[in-house]
Amino acid sequence: MNGLPQSEVTSDQILARILESLDDNKAEDVVQIDLRGKTSVCDHMVICSGRSSRQVVSIAEKLVEDLKHDLGVLPKIEGQDTGDWVLVDTGDVIVHVFRPEVREFYQLEKMWMPLGKTAQTVT
């Protein structure tokens, strides 16, 4: 592992590497939600889509590999068996990778955004 000890890695560093990995792996409609001071669950939430179950799983697995290799972060991953919705939990940043129709059904962005605000789309 080339990364820093996990205790020395900040949530902002993890978030930056996540966004880079998602971009590299062609994740679509990437949305970043800042939850600092709003919940004790995590500092940031990232929601994105893959075009198929296979791509959803691939994006999540590559993300876990990148975080482990580059930062020494060992996230938990759930949902890769079906590929409809994969959750990657680093502790400080939670990433949801969806197939588009599953993402539309759950609408997590609406659940976590304050009234009248929209999620910050990452370009």
Side-chain angles (χ1 to χ4, degrees):
M1 270 182 243
N2 299 333
L4 300 168
Q6 187 166 356
S7 60
E8 295 179 21
V9 179
T10 68
S11 63
D12 289 335
Q13 289 171 312
I14 295 169
L15 176 64
R17 185 62 188 105
I18 287 169
L19 296 175
E20 183 180 352
S21 177
L22 295 176
D23 184 54
D24 290 348
N25 292 290
K26 310 294 188 239
E28 297 179 347
D29 302 319
V30 179
V31 172
Q32 167 191 337
I33 303 170
D34 187 347
L35 296 175
R36 290 176 287 197
K38 297 179 180 112
T39 181
S40 61
V41 173
C42 61
D43 291 342
H44 304 278
M45 183 177 295
V46 177
I47 303 169
C48 65
S49 299
R51 291 182 300 279
S52 66
S53 295
R54 181 180 220 155
Q55 187 187 23
V56 166
V57 171
S58 177
I59 288 168
E61 288 176 347
K62 184 63 174 140
L63 174 60
V64 169
E65 182 182 310
D66 290 344
L67 290 170
K68 186 177 180 179
H69 180 265
D70 296 344
L71 298 177
V73 173
L74 304 173
K76 297 175 186 156
I77 185 169
E78 296 181 24
Q80 71 265 33
D81 293 340
T82 62
D84 289 335
W85 174 1
V86 179
L87 178 126
V88 179
D89 184 354
T90 72
D92 291 334
V93 183
I94 295 176
V95 181
H96 300 272
V97 187
F98 287 102
R99 279 189 311 108
E101 53 275 10
V102 177
R103 182 177 179 174
E104 179 62 30
F105 179 79
Y106 286 103
Q107 298 185 9
L108 288 185
E109 292 97 327
K110 289 183 179 180
M111 181 187 315
W112 284 100
M113 294 305 301
L115 291 175
K117 294 248 180 175
T118 58
Q120 177 183 353
T121 302
V122 179
T123 54

